[in-house]
Amino acid sequence: MSVTAGPPGPIRVGLFVTCLVDLFRPSVGFAAVKLLEEAGCEVVVPVQTCCGQPAYNSGDRPDARALALNVMSAFSGVDYIVAPSGSCAGMIRHHYPELFADDPGLSARARAFAEKTHELISFLTDVMKYDHVTVSYPRRVTYHDSCSGLREMGVKDQPRELLKTVNGLELVEMKDADVCCGFGGTFAVKYGEISDAIVSEKAKNINAAGAPVLLAGDLGCLMNMAGKLSREGRMTEVRHVAEVLAGMTSEPPIGAPSRGA
Amino acid sequence: MSVQSTSPQFKQNAHHALHDMQLQKALGNVRQNFIERRAVAAANLPEFEALRDQACDLRDHVLAHIDLYLEAYEKKVLAAGGHVHFARTSEEACQIIVDLAKARGAKSVTKGKSMVSEEIGLNAALERNGMAAIETDLGEYIIQLRGEAPSHIIAPAVHLNQEDVEAEFRRVHTHLPADRNLEEPETLLAEARAILRSKFLASDIGVTGANFLVAETGTSIIVTNEGNGDLTQLLPKVHVVVASIEKLIPTLEDASAMLRVLARSATGQDMSVYTTLSTGPRRPDDVDGPEEYHVVLVDNGRSNMLGTQFQDMLRCIRCGACMNHCPVYHAVGGHAYGWVYPGPMGAVLTPSLIGVDKAGHLPNASTFCGRCESVCPVHIPLPKLMRHWREREFERHLAPASVRYGLGIWAYFAKRPRLYRLTSSLAMRLLALAGKSKGHFRWLPLAGGWTDYRDMPAPQGSTFQAQWKKQGGDR
Ligand code: SF4
């Protein structure tokens, strides 16, 4: 689909909030709306649930297809579908076409839908050419590359480039930033002990980086890392990268008590 | 009989592995060395990515015409004076080799490193028939002394530290001075070499695996870094190559392309130290070589994979890169997987070979981080293939009831967006209230797998969608 071929007017983006942001951290959704609007998009939020990834990765194709169909119809009228998660965006981009590959009635539609779907930060930089923000956040931060964002959606430099434009922010790289945090969706619960070993290693690298703030682009990973750091008694503040880029950091960090509580 | 599997006890195996400090120390080396070396090797060869694509296409081509290549290969081996035996199962493969050995009155069989011989349980079969099987690869030799299986497909003793090896040598090699220095890897290697030398000379039959079988010439190729493979196959009167059917490649030219990606992906070397080609037995004017040359081609479930969703797995060239880059392998090591092949490649291959009912944990115990696929020299989509196993399990109702039940409830709501919006917002408001003071939970019902190890962050309050709607947001 081509933007120039469409009717004139602002680019209409359907925000795919993702179920974790919807349920646990709406502030990330509002940060995404703010960034998208600043980049010149008109944002709509169709009624939605989940991209279907938990079913898909559990081998349950029928439910995954049903959920994918729901998403495709809910977002039918937009130019782009954008998610503040490389994992959910990757599910739609790479796995919807695969879910409907042998369905002649739906495969073309799934492919077209997939092509319109983007991860938030890379959409801002690569599609909207949004290359700097005008907020300040005078903290040392370290950034974790979530796996699907990195390996399925090619998100690596984009968040770092945008973070560099945040006034006062200093980015320090941790060792093995591109190694899995051990979340893996249901894996974290089904194989909790192994997941814990992996996130412990990640926490070691985060702590060694010496930054008081940890950022990433996927709430699942963030909750996993925040949960581990909190269990270890660390004071590291954990946030979605969109919150910092949007200058919306008044909400307490992930896993921290609300102010005045 | 092939090797017994403890894959059904994967979780318990993993638990033990995670609490084995000696193992954890050894696994640290995998995380460091292999990854860095491969990255440097890949970066130093501009055409590395192109070579990977080429290797992938080549393997696909072979698999598409495997019957033709098998036939061509067999003809060439026969023409060179060798023999080819086809084995449908592990049992048949072992029987063929045992019969060969018995008929020649063999007492001692030396072996080069071979994963397929592990798969078919060859050592045990030889020993049951009164023959000694002697591993000559240093890593294999060490684990044989310890009565262990390999924990890695190219570094069988990677679960051990140097101290462990030293202790083992002191325990077993009691004829050597007790105060000898064994502090360097080289001294360990030298000691093993000296001991193995006499075994090579006394060996009746040499068994090697094959990294590749070349259809054009009937040649088998092995790569090693110790040179033990050469002595294994040159000194005894009989050389037996045992290889699985998918090891075929068309030409020697192709072999050179494959070897370039193999060594870089495996150890980060440009080429392995020894690349040994053997074609048939010794010819009249050859200075050395075996009098007989046999190839045992093992199917053991592979042809059942052809033409299925799992055919891609047969492209594997056993480089080990997938496990070297796997966070789960790094955490639990190779033995936890409970059968011959560990890591991501094992998580796909093991259910194919011993059944998903036994090996069902393996394709589930993955975060799908995708790092394995990103380094696999022949682009095997390992996470996708693991997911296919999960689909088979789901279809056959093999997934645990709790998982199916939980998934079912979740899917019920997720498929009904408006009901979901209503109920989820209510639930999150309650949960937020409960978790408000700390901002996280140290324990949550039904989430022990999570909260046993880490806190669960509390939700902020009402859901995004409920707030959006309240603000008069679109739709
Ligand atoms: S699956 Fe790929 S990376 Fe793993 S051993 Fe086989 S060829 Fe190497």
Side-chain angles (χ1 to χ4, degrees):
Chain A
M1 97 112 248
S2 140
V3 181
T4 43
I11 290 171
R12 252 168 87 84
V13 166
L15 179 65
F16 187 76
V17 194
T18 78
C19 40
L20 285 180
V21 166
D22 184 40
L23 299 176
F24 280 87
R25 206 157 169 84
S27 60
V28 174
F30 288 106
V33 171
K34 181 166 178 231
L35 287 166
L36 287 165
E37 285 178 348
E38 270 177 24
C41 307
E42 180 197 326
V43 181
V44 297
V45 184
V47 175
Q48 54 188 281
T49 65
C50 170
C51 65
Q53 185 172 181
Y56 183 63
N57 282 348
S58 303
D60 176 3
R61 281 175 85 97
D63 278 328
R65 282 172 57 113
L67 289 167
L69 276 176
N70 275 358
V71 173
M72 295 199 299
S73 12
F75 285 79
S76 56
V78 300
D79 297 324
Y80 292 102
I81 301 90
V82 174
S85 155
S87 176
C88 310
M91 172 70 197
I92 301 176
R93 172 77 73 81
H94 297 285
H95 303 290
Y96 277 20
E98 134 70 32
L99 265 177
F100 298 104
D102 42 17
D103 185 333
L106 286 166
S107 69
R109 188 173 153 209
R111 272 202 311 277
F113 191 82
E115 270 161 39
K116 295 197 292 185
T117 302
H118 293 263
E119 180 277 336
L120 172 70
I121 310 299
S122 51
F123 175 76
L124 291 170
T125 57
D126 302 352
V127 179
M128 298 308 295
K129 308 294 173 203
Y130 180 76
D131 58 6
H132 68 279
V133 292
T134 49
V135 297
S136 62
Y137 192 68
R139 311 283 305 269
R140 273 159 69 86
V141 309
T142 192
Y143 179 85
H144 163 74
D145 295 282
S146 290
C147 298
S148 308
L150 177 70
R151 281 178 273 270
E152 288 191 333
M153 303 301 284
V155 180
K156 182 169 177 69
D157 296 334
Q158 302 93 327
R160 290 178 170 83
E161 291 303 319
L162 275 185
L163 283 172
K164 276 186 202 153
T165 69
V166 173
N167 207 348
L169 182 144
E170 184 195 347
L171 177 65
V172 288
E173 292 291 344
M174 72 174 102
K175 179 169 169 270
D176 290 341
D178 63 346
V179 173
C180 182
C181 74
F183 173 61
T186 54
F187 172 86
V189 179
K190 280 199 287 184
Y191 297 93
E193 196 178 11
I194 302 174
S195 172
D196 176 54
I198 302 174
V199 74
S200 299
E201 191 65 28
K202 177 57 68 176
K204 220 188 275 170
N205 291 329
I206 295 166
N207 297 331
V213 181
L214 167 69
L215 304 178
D218 252 284
L219 193 54
C221 316
L222 285 162
M223 287 173 65
N224 182 39
M225 294 183 290
K228 187 67 208 178
L229 291 166
S230 145
R231 181 64 56 95
E232 285 183 351
R234 308 275 171 185
M235 301 306 289
T236 318
E237 292 186 15
V238 182
R239 292 185 183 279
H240 193 286
V241 64
E243 298 174 44
V244 169
L245 292 174
M248 292 168 69
T249 51
S250 57
E251 283 285 325
I254 299 166
S258 28
R259 295 205 178 103
Chain B
M1 197 187 67
S2 71
V3 180
Q4 278 299 314
S5 149
T6 66
S7 303
Q9 291 95 53
F10 173 77
K11 272 195 177 180
Q12 293 92 305
N13 295 348
H15 175 80
H16 290 302
L18 288 165
H19 290 87
D20 180 341
M21 286 308 122
Q22 171 270 352
L23 170 66
Q24 290 299 320
K25 183 177 161 210
L27 287 171
N29 299 330
V30 179
R31 224 177 312 219
Q32 283 304 318
N33 303 343
F34 282 114
I35 295 177
E36 217 170 279
R37 287 186 201 144
R38 178 200 170 272
V40 171
N44 285 344
L45 186 69
E47 68 268 33
F48 185 65
E49 289 307 312
L51 270 177
R52 284 175 71 184
D53 296 345
Q54 191 190 336
C56 175
D57 292 347
L58 186 79
R59 299 290 300 138
D60 272 341
H61 168 81
V62 168
L63 294 173
H65 306 284
I66 191 150
D67 46 342
L68 298 179
Y69 283 112
L70 277 169
E71 227 171 274
Y73 170 76
E74 185 189 17
K75 269 198 194 124
K76 290 291 178 183
V77 176
L78 295 178
H83 307 270
V84 178
H85 313 260
F86 286 94
R88 280 168 302 181
T89 61
S90 304
E91 290 77 7
E92 281 185 18
C94 287
Q95 199 57 52
I96 291 166
I97 300 170
V98 165
D99 289 348
L100 270 172
K102 272 190 176 168
R104 284 150 189 82
K107 293 197 175 53
S108 158
V109 177
T110 41
K111 285 183 66 209
K113 191 180 138 21
S114 149
M115 286 310 294
V116 76
S117 78
E118 300 284 346
E119 177 185 326
I120 63 177
L122 180 58
N123 290 6
L126 290 168
E127 279 155 18
R128 274 198 305 276
N129 285 279
M131 287 169 269
I134 299 143
E135 296 288 352
T136 66
D137 169 88
L138 177 61
E140 290 282 351
Y141 175 71
I142 294 163
I143 60 170
Q144 190 182 27
L145 292 181
R146 292 172 55 100
E148 290 177 321
S151 66
H152 188 289
I153 60 172
I154 67 159
V158 79
H159 57 286
L160 299 174
N161 300 288
Q162 167 145 5
E163 313 82 272
D164 306 318
V165 179
E166 186 183 332
E168 194 59 26
F169 278 17
R170 291 196 191 281
R171 183 181 74 81
V172 180
H173 303 159
T174 45
H175 61 291
L176 294 171
D179 60 349
R180 67 196 188 279
N181 183 348
L182 283 178
E183 266 155 33
E184 300 302 317
E186 291 76 26
T187 52
L188 290 170
L189 182 60
E191 179 163 319
R193 271 204 173 135
I195 287 179
L196 285 169
R197 189 69 42 158
S198 59
K199 312 262 181 188
F200 282 125
L201 293 170
S203 168
D204 303 304
I205 296 191
V207 175
T208 65
N211 290 92
F212 300 107
L213 302 172
V214 184
E216 177 190 38
T217 53
T219 302
S220 61
I221 302 182
I222 55 169
V223 295
T224 70
N225 282 322
E226 295 162 20
N228 63 303
D230 291 23
L231 295 176
T232 303
Q233 65 185 47
L234 283 176
L235 295 180
K237 286 193 172 142
V238 184
H239 176 198
V240 178
V241 176
V242 52
S244 49
I245 52 170
E246 82 281 12
K247 296 277 166 179
L248 282 160
I249 50 171
T251 66
L252 281 173
E253 195 71 34
D254 298 326
S256 95
M258 298 305 297
L259 290 170
R260 292 176 80 199
V261 278
L262 174 60
R264 285 179 172 83
S265 301
T267 50
Q269 291 164 291
D270 292 350
M271 280 294 256
S272 304
V273 180
Y274 297 86
T275 299
T276 312
L277 290 76
S278 32
T279 316
R282 153 194 224 157
R283 290 162 300 186
D285 44 356
D286 284 345
V287 290
D288 55 13
E291 288 165 17
E292 289 181 56
Y293 178 84
H294 295 264
V295 182
V296 181
L297 289 171
V298 183
D299 184 330
N300 203 27
R302 282 146 179 95
S303 53
N304 293 336
M305 294 166 70
L306 287 167
T308 72
Q309 288 173 312
F310 300 104
Q311 176 168 321
D312 288 350
M313 192 61 227
L314 295 174
R315 286 204 297 267
C316 177
I317 56 172
R318 305 286 189 271
C319 72
C322 53
M323 57 199 77
N324 293 341
H325 290 76
C326 175
V328 174
Y329 182 94
H330 292 163
V332 302
H335 287 153
Y337 291 79
W339 200 56
V340 179
Y341 301 103
M345 59 81 73
V348 177
L349 194 58
T350 307
S352 301
L353 301 185
I354 68 170
V356 72
D357 49 332
K358 290 204 192 71
H361 271 301
L362 310 190
N364 278 286
S366 162
T367 65
F368 282 170
C369 78
R371 214 171 170 213
C372 50
E373 180 177 356
S374 75
V375 295
C376 174
V378 286
H379 298 303
I380 299 175
L382 293 153
K384 176 171 147 183
L385 300 186
M386 287 183 229
R387 190 183 297 109
H388 285 331
W389 277 123
R390 298 183 188 186
E391 285 160 6
R392 300 273 175 107
E393 280 193 297
F394 189 84
E395 284 159 12
R396 290 173 54 189
H397 298 261
L398 290 175
S402 59
V403 173
R404 293 183 68 85
Y405 191 62
L407 204 64
I409 296 177
W410 164 83
Y412 177 87
F413 283 97
K415 284 190 279 192
R416 293 166 176 79
R418 282 172 204 280
L419 176 67
Y420 176 94
R421 186 168 66 179
L422 209 73
T423 46
S424 62
S425 197
L426 198 69
M428 287 304 124
R429 289 214 309 268
L430 285 172
L431 203 57
L433 215 59
K436 200 167 180 218
S437 61
K438 286 215 187 77
H440 57 257
F441 300 94
R442 292 186 67 85
W443 180 83
L444 273 182
L446 303 176
W450 182 288
T451 50
D452 284 351
Y453 308 101
R454 63 218 122 175
D455 298 339
M456 175 61 93
Q460 286 174 324
S462 156
T463 63
F464 177 84
Q465 292 193 76
Q467 295 184 45
W468 184 259
K469 188 173 177 225
K470 216 167 167 186
Q471 294 177 7
D474 173 82
R475 290 204 239 170

